[in-house]
Amino acid sequence: MNLENLQNKIRNIPNFPKPGIEFKDITTLLKDAAAYKEVIDALAQKISQTHIDYIVAIESRGYLLGAPLAYKLGTGLVLVRKPGKLPAEVEKIEYDLEYGKDTLEIHKDSIEKGKKVLVIDDLLATGGTVKATIDLVKKVGGDVVATAFMIELENLHGKEKLPSDIKVYSLFKYK
């Protein structure tokens, strides 16, 4: 299966979660075992030339990509969660959303100082959540060298919010 065939497995839901937004529903791709495997393999191939010690996955759809990639690439997996979900001492960051604020947390002891990190999520839109995660990883001592996404919505310019020295890997790009 080629990337175009894989991309065709992503369902578009108009006006969700609000009018004017076309939601990219990855559940239709994930339920196809061969397609899901191919997405993981394609992401692993893109990332394989970048040395990383940890994959930091963003709650919750980032976990669907981060866990199998960490396994395939032989790296550790670190979870970034919404407040109150991690049991040990956390570092947190509050960041701006389009309409309001949100908070993310990571275990303070999750990444040793200077370890190389890839941050992953299912989708890069405006870049706010990923930028906050990069800042959070830096707070606990990690060195973010790359980010990865199944989908990038290029018209929202999220990549522009990320530090220019961090590689951005995206499988499917929408204009």
Side-chain angles (χ1 to χ4, degrees):
M1 202 175 298
N2 64 35
L3 286 181
E4 186 176 324
N5 287 342
L6 287 173
Q7 189 170 3
N8 288 334
K9 293 194 172 282
I10 297 169
R11 175 172 47 193
N12 294 312
I13 308 289
N15 300 312
F16 183 83
K18 61 184 185 180
I21 294 186
E22 186 170 290
F23 186 80
K24 303 297 182 198
D25 180 12
I26 64 171
T27 63
T28 48
L29 183 146
L30 296 175
K31 75 177 186 177
D32 181 326
Y36 187 18
K37 181 182 183 317
E38 202 150 334
V39 162
I40 297 304
D41 290 345
L43 282 168
Q45 183 178 4
K46 282 182 173 281
I47 296 163
S48 66
Q49 299 305 308
T50 302
H51 171 73
I52 54 172
D53 301 299
Y54 293 105
I55 291 177
V56 171
I58 300 171
E59 186 172 351
S60 66
R61 289 185 303 263
Y63 299 170
L64 303 172
L65 302 172
L69 274 172
Y71 174 79
K72 187 163 185 73
L73 296 173
T75 70
L77 178 68
V78 175
L79 305 179
V80 168
R81 304 225 41 202
K82 301 290 184 189
K85 303 289 185 180
L86 294 170
E89 192 175 356
V90 298
E91 188 68 61
K92 63 176 69 178
I93 192 164
E94 187 176 273
Y95 64 103
D96 292 323
L97 297 171
E98 190 176 349
Y99 301 104
K101 294 190 177 296
D102 207 350
T103 303
L104 294 171
E105 295 182 344
I106 192 170
H107 278 137
K108 281 189 174 183
D109 62 356
S110 61
I111 301 169
E112 298 83 15
K113 186 171 175 54
K115 291 292 185 176
K116 306 294 183 199
V117 172
L118 173 123
V119 173
I120 192 161
D121 205 357
D122 67 318
L123 180 104
L124 174 59
T126 61
T129 302
V130 177
K131 174 67 169 81
T133 302
I134 290 168
D135 293 343
L136 190 57
V137 168
K138 289 178 180 179
K139 282 175 95 173
V140 298
D143 178 18
V144 179
V145 295
T147 59
F149 310 92
M150 184 188 302
I151 298 168
E152 180 181 344
L153 303 177
E154 292 181 310
N155 62 323
L156 297 178
H157 309 288
K159 190 187 292 189
E160 295 170 14
K161 286 189 181 168
L162 308 182
S164 61
D165 61 331
I166 294 176
K167 294 177 186 160
V168 177
Y169 299 107
S170 302
L171 277 188
F172 311 124
K173 297 180 180 187
Y174 294 87
K175 300 213 182 271

